[in-house]
Amino acid sequence: MDLFLGIDVGSVSTNLVLIDYEGELYLRPLYLRTQGQPITAVQQGLVLLKEQLTSEDRIRGVGTTGSARSLAGVLVGADIVKNEITSHAVAALHKVPGVRTVLEIGGQDSKIIVLRDGIVVDFAMNTVCAAGTGSFLDQQANRLNLSIENFGEVALQAENPVRIAGRCTVFAESDMIHKQQMGHSLSDIVAGLCDALVRNYLNNIGKGKEINPPVVFQGGVAANAGMRTAFEKALETEIIIPQHFDVMGAYGAAMLARDQTSEQGRETRFRGFKVSSQDFQNCSFICQKCPNACEVIEIKQGKELLARWGDRCGRWSVTETEAGCVPV
Amino acid sequence: MKITYPHMGNLYIVVRALLTTLGLDVVLPPPTSRRTVELGVRYSPEFACFPFKLNLGNYLEARELGADTILMAGGVGPCRFGYYAEVQRQILSDLGSEMDMVVLEPPDVSYKELKEKIRHLVGDISWWKVIKAIRLAWYKARAIDAVEEKLLYLRPRVYEPYLLERYYHRALHEIDALSHRRAVQGAVRDFIKKVGSMPQRSGEFLRVGLVGEIFTILEPTANYDLEKRLGLLGVEVTRSIWLSIWINEHLFGGLLRVSNECRDDHHLAPPYLNSFVGGHGKETVGCTVGFAQRNYDGVIQVAPFTCMPEIVAHSVLPAVSKDYGIPVLTFYLDEQSGEAGIQTRLEAFVDLIAAHSHDQKGGMLSGSVFGN
């Protein structure tokens, strides 16, 4: 079968999705932890996928997205490298045609995407604060001795959610401790935290945006029933959570790869599953050519230089002859 | 006296031409770099705006090279720029790095004061020589703008963007070194001829208008190379503010006839913004309307974090955006801005305006990032 692969390498998770020509999912999407090692995570994902494919399956196109999209793109040989805002919008549009608002909260960033008549007309991304993102929830669940999976369920049992300052993670945390010391129940505190995070999201990222239904909520945090309820309460509208809410970025990237390759009738640039066993070295060095002291990143496979980036002037991006990293 | 002045994009070339022709000993600060940022941030109040911090970094680096006098512009109105020179002087003095600061208030405040300040600097030179110096500086400002206009046009088009940047820097270097009007204009012609023959993509390109605070628009370090990033994403950028236009309007009182696309745009600010709010707030709103009327695909507003005039402008831009159906993206930038976030939002914005423009335009890149 002809398949298209979407890879989303984010701060917390690395997701891989396979779709067919019709945009239907093939096999189960993979949701892996990045653990600060994007190259290993992508390789591991490819191994897991390959095990499940038959000899008839062919990868016809690959798209990468997420904060390590360019790295992943170089690694696997992507046909399209797309930012996560566009990828998420594309995926949401396919799953919920007519969607007008996408709320996306991931590991370390959150965004809102406003769509009208099937095109993105506005968006915003958190710039100064990571309060309310997955990493913060993870941390708080940990502190309260809850597993992140149960966090949302506990919130739903609340009778009187407490009011928690949500502007900043540090204040939110100290306020939560204060409420615990006062003797509020765990579920009331957890629900209060969800309310605070949603308030924070709507006041920062959602500020000045027209939030109209249908509203789709995706990204890893959408697994949290407490957050969903808090959004429903705050927006007074139904919140739709797509079935594969946690891999929507990868799904969008796969769709974009399909469009890219089939529109142009091009062969894929996919380097094949052998990538998973190849040895890649990434290293960085600080360029000393001027006081900008750019941190240049270099990706090599064996002796072959695959890519370099990070320099402001472009000298490293183009000159392949110059030696960059000093071998250790 | 060894005189220095802060950087703002390529302004240094213009000011150097002026001061050296007047016979002054100029010590140019090294190009604004991360080190400049670090120095400036270390000694500035945290909530001072980004240009303030960069200025201070420039002074300190120039002082290391032996500068003892600073030439700085003053200002009036609600923008904090009017206080820069005084606060910077105080900080330098607190650091024990006292430098003589000559503040030129804009001539619209007092021509007499400006005249006296210039006399103080240059001593006994004939006014004829002063005028000659101003003329050479003016031709260099025009030359830089001509080169940059071509650069903005070609960035999305050429197949070898890094080669284009190299030609551009070489042209700047020549303009800086030459001391005759004809030679300067010749350097511009050579540049335009050379880059014009570079292999190019054809078709129509997305067009984005750049509005906002002047320093952030003109200084690539302050805007994180926004114009270059957009160019590499396949977008043709048009600035609302150009160095020579600004000089003509604010220093020459609009005396010369210089054509510019956005020249009359500030009249378009009402009914959205009716009064002067300081800085370029009114121009930002007016130019956004202007770009929309000229059928641009999108507008990007840039400003330093906490910039009051631009915050006022920002708050009325959604109304402009809605009335004219033009997408607008705002960046508040300072030393804390994350490059990855800027790049992601730019790519998403380019995708947005590409989908938004009704007629499908060719020549667009897929929005992939650096080095790809």
Side-chain angles (χ1 to χ4, degrees), chain A residues 14-316:
Chain A
T14 294
N15 313 323
L16 291 91
V17 163
L18 283 171
I19 60 167
D20 60 18
Y21 267 116
E22 273 68 52
E24 291 309 313
L25 273 179
Y26 185 70
L27 300 177
R28 264 207 6 235
L30 287 178
Y31 184 96
L32 309 166
R33 293 259 165 182
T34 310
Q35 291 176 321
Q37 297 188 322
I39 295 180
T40 320
V42 171
Q43 289 182 318
Q44 198 190 338
L46 289 176
V47 171
L48 292 171
L49 276 185
K50 193 178 178 225
E51 282 169 3
Q52 303 175 60
L53 293 178
T54 66
S55 56
E56 260 102 80
D57 295 328
R58 286 275 174 284
I59 304 290
R60 293 286 177 211
V62 182
T64 59
T65 186
S67 45
R69 58 186 177 281
S70 35
L71 174 65
V74 167
L75 212 65
V76 300
D79 298 295
I80 189 164
V81 178
K82 204 49 129 179
N83 65 83
E84 47 274 39
I85 295 170
T86 306
S87 301
H88 273 283
V90 165
L93 265 173
H94 183 74
K95 283 296 167 197
V96 185
V99 55
R100 306 223 284 172
T101 312
V102 178
L103 316 171
E104 198 272 338
I105 307 186
Q108 272 177 13
D109 67 0
S110 43
K111 24 188 133 38
I112 185 167
I113 308 169
V114 180
L115 304 102
R116 297 288 179 268
D117 306 318
I119 60 168
V120 178
V121 294
D122 201 1
F123 63 86
M125 226 176 115
N126 62 337
T127 51
V128 287
C129 179
T133 58
S135 295
F136 177 64
L137 285 174
D138 242 354
Q139 200 187 332
Q140 293 316 313
N142 212 354
R143 217 181 56 74
L144 296 170
N145 263 331
L146 288 169
S147 75
I148 189 71
E149 289 78 20
N150 292 333
F151 199 78
E153 296 306 319
V154 173
L156 294 184
Q157 292 154 17
E159 282 162 16
N160 301 299
V162 295
R163 212 174 155 81
I164 289 176
R167 177 161 297 151
C168 160
T169 54
V170 180
F171 294 149
E173 184 169 329
S174 52
D175 206 25
M176 255 173 65
I177 295 172
H178 171 68
K179 293 281 155 46
Q180 275 180 299
Q181 316 287 46
M182 298 275 286
H184 290 281
S185 76
L186 184 64
S187 56
D188 282 353
I189 292 172
V190 171
L193 184 65
C194 291
D195 285 345
L197 297 183
V198 163
R199 216 164 41 232
N200 174 299
Y201 176 95
L202 294 175
N203 288 337
N204 284 316
I205 295 142
K207 187 165 68 189
K209 305 274 179 259
E210 277 183 62
I211 300 181
N212 292 334
V215 179
V216 169
F217 182 21
Q218 58 197 38
V221 173
N224 190 316
M227 289 294 283
R228 175 200 186 151
T229 313
F231 267 123
E232 279 180 340
K233 227 165 37 179
L235 295 174
E236 295 174 350
T237 180
E238 190 206 352
I239 304 287
I240 304 163
I241 298 183
Q243 193 193 351
H244 297 289
F245 61 86
D246 54 349
V247 294
M248 293 294 271
Y251 188 79
M255 304 267 304
L256 287 162
R258 181 198 64 178
D259 297 348
Q260 176 88 358
T261 45
S262 45
E263 248 171 47
Q264 304 185 349
R266 236 184 28 192
E267 281 295 303
T268 180
R269 287 193 278 188
F270 182 46
R271 291 153 56 94
F273 284 98
K274 64 176 192 295
V275 166
S276 57
S277 57
Q278 282 169 342
D279 189 22
F280 292 96
Q281 298 103 37
N282 58 325
C283 65
S284 63
F285 61 96
I286 292 175
C287 173
Q288 305 288 355
K289 307 275 178 193
C290 85
N292 274 323
C294 295
E295 292 157 15
V296 185
I297 294 109
E298 194 177 274
I299 314 292
K300 272 184 170 175
Q301 186 204 330
K303 285 217 166 106
E304 189 198 349
L305 179 67
L306 294 182
R308 273 201 201 122
W309 55 71
D311 49 340
R312 271 188 66 189
C313 66
R315 70 174 297 139
W316 296 105

Side-chain angles (χ1 to χ4, degrees), chain B residues 263-284:
Chain B
R263 190 181 159 149
D264 297 317
D265 279 357
H266 56 272
H267 297 305
L268 300 171
Y272 302 101
L273 192 59
N274 299 318
S275 46
F276 178 65
V277 294
H280 291 86
K282 206 170 170 186
E283 282 87 344
T284 293

Side-chain angles (χ1 to χ4, degrees), chain B residues 6-24:
Chain B
H7 277 297
M8 181 172 79
N10 295 317
L11 180 69
Y12 71 96
I13 296 176
V14 180
V15 181
R16 171 140 71 187
L18 178 74
L19 298 181
T20 46
T21 318
L22 289 172
L24 290 164

Side-chain angles (χ1 to χ4, degrees), chain B residues 159-220:
Chain B
Y159 288 105
E160 294 172 285
Y162 293 113
L163 187 64
L164 177 67
E165 300 297 323
R166 214 175 304 157
Y167 287 151
Y168 161 62
H169 286 287
R170 206 174 296 161
L172 286 182
H173 193 76
E174 274 173 36
I175 292 171
D176 190 21
L178 296 165
S179 51
H180 292 285
R181 173 187 166 181
R182 272 171 207 251
V184 168
Q185 289 169 338
V188 175
R189 271 196 305 273
D190 287 350
F191 170 79
I192 289 178
K193 211 172 127 193
K194 189 158 54 185
V195 295
S197 63
M198 289 174 76
Q200 293 168 31
R201 296 180 183 87
S202 55
E204 269 199 79
F205 292 81
L206 292 170
R207 292 191 308 157
V208 163
L210 189 59
V211 301
E213 188 270 336
I214 180 168
F215 187 93
T216 316
I217 290 183
L218 295 180
E219 175 58 59

